[in-house]
Amino acid sequence: MRFNAKDLALLAKRPSGCFDKEGKLKICRVVGDEKLIEPRERWCRLKGNLLFLMKNKSSEASEVVILERCWVVEFRSKTDVSIILKFQSGEPDLYLEAASKSDCEAWAVALGEANSEGLRNKIQQLRKLIMEIKEERTSDEARQFLPSSQVDTLGEPQFTSIQRIANEPKLEFSLACKGLVAATRDRKLNTFIQVSVVHPAEHILTRYSSTEIVEGTRDPLFLTGVTFPPEYPIYEETKIKLTVYDVKDKSQDTVRTSVLPDHKEPRADTGRSFLGCTTFRVGDLVKSKEQQLTLTLRTSDGGKTVGTIEVNLVKMGEFEDGEMDHITTDAQDQKFLCFLPLKSCSCGFLSATCAHNTENLERMTDRRAKEECALVRECTAPEGLSGKDNLPSLNAVLKNPICKLYRFPTSDNKWMRIREQMAETTLSFHVPKELINLHIKEDMRRNQELKDLGELAPHWDNMRKSVIAHCDQMLSMYQDTLAELGKHTGSSFKSSCSKGEKTLEFIPINLHLQRMHVHSPRLKDALYDVITVGAPAAHFQGFKNGGLRKLLSKFEAERRNTGYQCIYYSPENTAKAKEVLSNINHLQPLISSHADLLLNSASQHSPDSLKNSLKMLSEKTELFVHAFKDQLVRSALLALYTARPGCVLKKPAVPRSSAEEGDDLKHQDHPSQIKRQDSIPHHSEYDEEEWDRVWANVGKSLNCVIAMVDRLLEKDNSSKIKEGESDPSAADCKVLHAGGDWYEQLYPLVITLKDCMGEVVTRAKQSMAFVLLQELACGLPQCLMLTLRRDIVFSQALAGLVCGFIIKLHTSLHDQGFLQQLHTVGLLVQYEGLLSTYSEEAGMLEDMAVGISDLQKVMFKVIEAKSEDFLPIITGRREHYVIEVQLPAKMFELLPQEIKEGKLLRMYPVLFNVGINEQQTLAERFGDTTLQENINQENLELLKEYYNLFTEKMPPDCLPHFQEQNDLKGLLENLHQNIQAKRRKNVEIMWLAATICRKLNGVRFTCCKSAKDRTSMSVTLEQCSILRDEHQLHKDFFIRALDCMRREGCRIENVLKNVKCRKYAFNMIQLMAFPKYYRPPEGTYGKADT
């Protein structure tokens, strides 16, 4: 065989990344069992089937070994770190000695696969796989692969769909291995399975998910299953590839925590080594008699068997029966013991059993198995969760779900199954856009009202012009933001990396529904929902000067000192002014409409219709009159008069607050006469008591209308009695004549009522607009910037609240106790904060506290959907919003009558915060934690207020069935004591608050800066704690279950969605400051953007 020496020399000197493997080895030749010379250290480089031997890394290659017609002999002892290459040609063997056992194993694998025979085996295996894929393809190769929902619209589906229940995952299965073969006889394997999908219409292999790592056994049973959500395009023809890896160092297993192209295989030196793989068709699993497949694992060349893998179809709601034939106890440091084989149950789910140094699980008799299966059939999932009726409304809200499946042992040696789900929501963008649109309309009305104030003195007129200019600029900014959001397409969530983007500042950060569905053998199925979202805060505006809590307090103090420029009105008065304006805009058109209906009834001479129209007119007019009882209107009218050019007062014009005037000034409810007034008088015409007469004229006019209607109806009744019997035709003529009389007699009174109402509206609008002018003028431009910041924070908080309410309503439609609680008391909304009180996060916490507190001004209303658009409708203004939630007709019928009639539903938001990171350590030792302590104390009082209201209005049996009121009292007292204790990083506060919220049927939220890392630790800890406390999770499996959820669950997928990397953004130094149970498993954290 001829070689080009120059080419080989150049190949040996190529950069390190060009070689399959390289490193230091001690090398010598061996004849028989004797070494010809002492082993010498050489730098070895492997490229294909060529092994270059060099004195050092930079020197020339002194020898080239061709790895053909040779084999590797590896010594199996624990201490030996050498291997021998034997050649068929009879030349001396090559002795190679590595620095460590792991290095020796890696070289043995690399050299064994380097020759052309190994390469041919790989090519043969790949050709076989390609042929299998080609055989499954249909003749219509030109057709693009589409999700099932799109395929259905184009005609008959090309592939066989999997039968499933509506809104349930298409396919779920669990995995277990047996008899895995290690590279060395004494090595204890740490294995996991990577699951990939080969779509029937494509050649591409797509990585889908992985199991957790099971340590120290060759018979691993994996607690993490595989689940495909309802919309995932999977068919009976789809192939699933299962690849088993042995992890040598979890902290170096970077492939599992990074994103690689689907077709690229991981390098062998990335902390894991390939053991074997196998492939199966989905249809074979679904149609198998026992719904179980036992597959042979083979090496990449397809020649060597390295064990078996069992795939078991899972059906939630069916009981898992299992037996143990033996227990594996290889060594004392084996962490989890696995029991096999797996046996099937008549319920359709196949089981195996895991334990941690526990006794063998009891064997079940056939009779016992049937009893258990029958029991579980009664423990069905909560009604309405999987029905077809609620699918459209839920699908309108939730998008892109991610599902994970687990099976954990209980303390009584049974199996529970857990389905973990995470979904983003379209409300992340829908709610902010609706809200910004309302802000734009409200601000446009306010600007017009300021322009309609009329003629003002030069000082006030210049002030008005300045205010309008600033307001127009802010209005333009809102319009630009809405236009940018209208252009947004793609994902329905805002990633943590985008929290500083100006165009997305109204959008909540990383808003998701996190759900855990638990099926236990002896308990009813249960759902546990948590809404995870980044702390509502104005990240783009920054926190250099603190957050809203501090900024609002500082702004209010500064406003009090600007009285020489404008008139100071308290925040309560300005809020009242906005409420009066809102009532005017709402009630005036309604009163005019009912007045026209009254005249129409009079013209038709319809007594019943006349009575109904009068009743509605009276109700709305009384509300209208009541809206102006506040002294603020009267005081503001006087202040407005002083702002007119050349005003002269009959009495001293000193504007007084409503509190001062309330003590010595009363309304005159009934002026002696009705007299229409001109617009607001000037100069000496103004009388302080004039407003009382104008305002009272509305009520007086209404009384005249009522009296006239009563006289007309009374006269009509008497005329019917006298004339109806004598001459019917004459009676008919009388009716026609009376109809004209009714209209003619009511018309002038109704016109007077409208004129009086118009006079009141004109004066009240101008006076309240003047109050708002003072509010804006006293704090330009800070006032508008604070309003913007508050709108941003509130928008983020409201989007999460609407999502939480809709999900809670859907899951509790059959819970009559909850529905009664909802309309009688209201809904508790509990936020768990994980922000520190140090640096910028203190400002975030201040923003978050104000935003959550502002949710108290939100009311919900449930209406029947009239179309296929089920997204919520938002109405109202900044001080009061109503969210109309639409339900399909069948779901709407399940509601109590009070809710169906449109009763407004109150919200009770509470926030408890405990910082857990290293910044909180700095705050506790060198900073200030007063902010956190005050927030927790204030919200404890709000929580107690809700509990007292609940116990007062609701019967005791409305509490969840496993609770008593004494339990809640004890929990509240315990929470109070923990808040008063002021201990460092007292996470028990969060646990207690979450427990109380669940027991009171509340909605749970968990927040940190970006809802990605700390939130993931908290949510997974809460889920495992619930499994332990409520569903009897085996105590020895608590940590393993926690690690499973953090390593392979929905939360690591959330990290991937946000930063394109499967690593929590922690480092070792940070985690030293974290509470014990808030630390992620090894290998799942590292440097990542947050």
Side-chain angles (χ1 to χ4, degrees), residues 100-314:
S100 64
K101 186 66 177 176
S102 60
D103 198 24
C104 178
E105 293 173 359
W107 274 104
V109 172
L111 294 171
E113 296 177 352
N115 57 27
S116 56
E117 183 179 355
L119 185 60
R120 280 195 298 270
N121 289 335
K122 287 183 180 179
I123 294 172
Q124 184 180 359
Q125 184 72 8
L126 290 173
R127 283 176 175 169
K128 182 180 178 182
L129 179 61
I130 291 172
M131 291 302 296
E132 289 176 356
I133 295 173
K134 284 184 175 180
E135 288 173 3
E136 297 296 333
R137 299 188 66 190
T138 62
S139 58
D140 188 11
E141 293 183 356
R143 182 173 180 177
Q144 293 281 340
F145 180 81
L146 296 171
S148 57
S149 59
Q150 298 181 31
V151 171
D152 293 340
T153 63
L154 297 178
E156 192 68 23
Q158 183 178 353
F159 306 111
T160 307
S161 298
I162 299 173
Q163 298 295 324
R164 66 179 183 88
I165 302 173
N167 208 32
E168 287 290 299
K170 279 189 175 179
L171 178 69
E172 292 180 312
F173 57 84
S174 60
L175 299 166
C177 295
K178 186 178 180 182
L180 296 179
V181 177
T184 57
R185 185 178 305 170
D186 59 336
R187 172 166 173 76
K188 295 173 183 176
L189 297 175
N190 303 323
T191 53
F192 75 93
I193 299 176
Q194 181 175 284
V195 181
S196 303
V197 178
V198 181
H199 294 292
E202 299 176 341
H203 290 289
I204 299 175
L205 188 72
T206 304
R207 292 184 186 176
Y208 184 75
S209 67
S210 299
T211 66
E212 82 280 11
I213 299 173
V214 179
E215 301 182 27
T217 178
R218 300 190 182 194
D219 299 327
L221 184 143
F222 299 96
L223 302 184
T224 306
V226 181
T227 180
F228 293 89
E231 70 282 355
Y232 193 89
I234 189 169
Y235 305 94
E236 290 186 6
E237 293 82 5
T238 303
K239 284 180 175 287
I240 306 293
K241 181 181 179 182
L242 306 174
T243 309
V244 182
Y245 289 98
D246 175 25
V247 178
K248 299 175 181 178
D249 184 356
K250 288 190 289 185
S251 64
Q252 298 298 320
D253 186 20
T254 57
V255 176
R256 285 164 52 81
T257 56
S258 61
V259 180
L260 291 178
D262 292 328
H263 62 276
K264 187 175 181 180
E265 287 298 323
R267 291 171 53 189
D269 58 350
T270 55
R272 66 160 94 175
S273 62
F274 172 84
L275 288 182
C277 64
T278 188
T279 306
F280 70 92
R281 288 176 69 256
V282 170
D284 294 340
L285 175 62
V286 174
K287 295 178 179 179
S288 62
K289 184 177 181 181
E290 295 183 340
Q291 295 185 320
Q292 172 187 10
L293 296 177
T294 301
L295 308 170
T296 301
L297 285 169
R298 296 185 179 276
T299 55
S300 57
D301 59 7
K304 185 179 178 182
T305 300
V306 293
T308 59
I309 185 168
E310 296 190 358
V311 185
N312 308 300
L313 191 65
V314 173

Side-chain angles (χ1 to χ4, degrees), residues 70 112 119 183 194 215 383 403 467 510 515 526 569 718 755 761 801 880 895 914 1034:
C70 63
L119 185 60
Q194 181 175 284
E215 301 182 27
E383 295 181 72
C403 303
V467 167
N510 196 16
R515 167 170 288 180
Y569 288 96
S718 62
D755 289 345
V761 166
L801 175 65
H880 177 72
L895 298 173
V914 177
H1034 197 292

